[in-house]
Amino acid sequence: MHLAYPAVLSALLFAIGVYGLLARRNAILILMSVELMLNAVNLNLVAFDVWLSTTLRDTLHGGQALTLFTIALAAAEIGIGLAIVLLVHRNRGSSDIDRLRDTAETDDDEAAAAEAALADDEAGTAIPYDSPAKKAEAAR
């Protein structure tokens, strides 16, 4: 088997995965692109392992063992990633990456209110917060 065929296919899959990672806005499609890149790496590992076993008479098959480790890592990554995406979609109503970044930024009004609260706290004119535990003690 020629080593060039799987190497070119692996490079093509990895390039498609990088394009999907950079161009997509949906978190699910970004996770799929990462999976595509990991599969390209797996293909490369197995191809080079087969090539080394035929040329150097290597019987350890380290590339295939590393491929199994990468598959387990990819399964864990997709499980955690999907859980995070579902939680974000449930809370925000969208899994669009741009909308998630926009919600993390504060507006000017909120920033001004936070600065005013900080100035009141430093001046000692802020109204103290009574916790529910303090209110329960006062009621006894």
Side-chain angles (χ1 to χ4, degrees):
M1 178 176 89
H2 294 287
L3 186 61
Y5 297 131
V8 168
L9 180 62
S10 175
L12 191 66
L13 285 175
F14 195 82
I16 292 170
V18 168
Y19 173 74
L21 186 71
L22 297 175
R24 299 295 178 196
R25 302 285 186 241
N26 192 348
I28 300 291
L29 293 177
I30 289 175
L31 286 174
M32 288 174 61
S33 298
V34 170
E35 288 293 321
L36 192 62
M37 291 189 313
L38 285 173
N39 285 330
V41 170
N42 288 341
L43 178 64
N44 240 353
L45 286 171
V46 170
F48 276 97
D49 183 57
V50 169
W51 179 71
L52 281 176
S53 68
T54 58
T55 58
L56 299 178
R57 306 283 186 240
D58 182 26
T59 58
L60 292 177
H61 298 293
Q64 293 179 12
L66 193 58
T67 298
L68 289 175
F69 176 73
T70 308
I71 289 171
L73 182 73
E77 174 257 335
I78 200 68
I80 292 171
L82 280 176
I84 291 171
V85 168
L86 287 174
L87 183 67
V88 166
H89 187 270
R90 185 180 302 157
N91 289 337
R92 304 287 172 113
S94 174
S95 63
D96 188 17
I97 299 297
D98 287 337
R99 287 188 59 198
L100 295 178
R101 185 177 51 216
D102 290 341
T103 57
E105 297 172 358
T106 60
D107 293 328
D108 292 334
D109 296 334
E110 292 176 9
E115 288 176 9
L118 182 62
D120 287 343
D121 189 37
E122 288 175 353
T125 59
I127 299 171
Y129 171 73
D130 289 333
S131 67
K134 286 184 181 179
K135 289 180 182 178
E137 282 183 26
R140 288 187 205 168

